[in-house]
Amino acid sequence: MLKVKRALISVSDKTGIVEFAKELKEMGVEIISTGGTAKALEKEGIKTADISEVTGFPEMLDGRVKTLHPKVHGGLLALRENKEHMETIEKHGINTIDMVVINLYPFKQVIKKDGITIEETIENIDIGGPSMIRSAAKNAISVAVVTDAADYARVAGEMKGGGIKPETLEFLRVKAFKTTADYDVCIANHL
């Protein structure tokens, strides 16, 4: 069973995130967050580490680059049982990340707006979110990837019961890859 010590939360749809983050904090989970999510959590008294503190780089290019960094993806992709991986991330000052909680920019909703320009459409294509989802899902044996608020209660319940079960990690992995596949299909069809 997966014991979560460190989670990265970056969500466009904030439904249920404050309550879930509070539960994580109560269980001693360190939370890393980005931009608007960090502000929403901090406003509710939930302390987070800003992603810039983790990477050592500010969010840049109007928010286009914030999580695309080895200190994020190394922390997600390192195989915990692989001694070489663990030595490598330690050598480079990378800490593991045990959970990502991500939902993507609302592309489907944005393209429904009247008069939307191609430039506005392009700016609403999420890059970092799908990248983190895929990294976490690839290493689902060691990282929980939560892409749907409907799964917050299940994940929190299992954590309170001792850890996230392997079958839940696999369920979340499949859901994660379906999420990114559907997202990419929607973008391709629209463009």
Side-chain angles (χ1 to χ4, degrees):
M1 292 203 294
L2 176 65
K3 309 266 193 234
V4 177
K5 296 179 189 112
R6 197 163 181 242
L8 193 157
I9 303 176
S10 181
V11 292
S12 290
D13 178 354
K14 312 268 188 291
T15 304
I17 199 59
V18 169
E19 297 78 10
F20 186 50
K22 281 181 180 176
E23 288 187 275
L24 294 177
K25 276 302 215 183
E26 288 169 8
M27 290 183 269
V29 175
E30 176 191 353
I31 297 176
I32 304 162
S33 197
T34 62
T37 303
K39 286 178 188 155
L41 296 177
E42 295 280 344
K43 181 180 173 192
E44 296 296 325
I46 302 166
K47 174 106 175 77
T48 68
D50 188 87
I51 194 67
S52 298
E53 295 171 38
V54 173
T55 64
F57 281 85
E59 291 186 21
M60 59 180 72
L61 307 178
D62 298 320
R64 283 181 165 209
V65 178
K66 47 190 162 215
T67 59
L68 297 169
H69 195 280
K71 288 201 174 184
V72 172
H73 291 275
L76 294 171
L77 287 164
L79 296 171
R80 290 10 178 212
E81 69 282 356
N82 183 312
K83 184 180 173 202
E84 222 175 276
H85 281 206
M86 298 312 287
E87 288 171 354
T88 298
I89 67 169
E90 184 178 344
K91 175 182 170 186
H92 294 286
I94 298 171
N95 294 315
T96 57
I97 299 170
D98 310 304
M99 175 187 287
V100 292
V101 182
I102 298 174
N103 55 56
L104 304 173
Y105 294 174
F107 187 82
K108 285 180 184 178
Q109 290 80 5
V110 168
I111 60 174
K112 291 177 185 174
K113 292 180 183 175
D114 288 335
I116 186 90
T117 66
I118 189 68
E119 292 80 14
E120 290 171 302
T121 301
I122 296 297
E123 286 310 311
N124 281 280
I125 297 174
D126 198 322
I127 302 301
S131 298
M132 287 187 294
I133 289 171
R134 292 177 62 81
S135 289
K138 181 171 181 164
N139 199 16
I141 193 167
S142 299
V143 182
V145 54
V146 185
T147 58
D148 185 348
D151 297 318
Y152 295 168
R154 176 180 180 177
V155 169
E158 287 188 17
M159 288 174 66
K160 288 174 187 170
I164 304 171
K165 298 173 186 171
E167 56 270 21
T168 299
L169 294 171
E170 187 58 27
F171 165 80
L172 294 169
R173 176 202 321 243
V174 171
K175 197 171 201 177
F177 281 121
K178 183 171 181 358
T179 297
T180 58
D182 291 347
Y183 194 74
D184 286 339
V185 166
C186 179
I187 292 167
N189 287 341
H190 179 73
L191 296 178

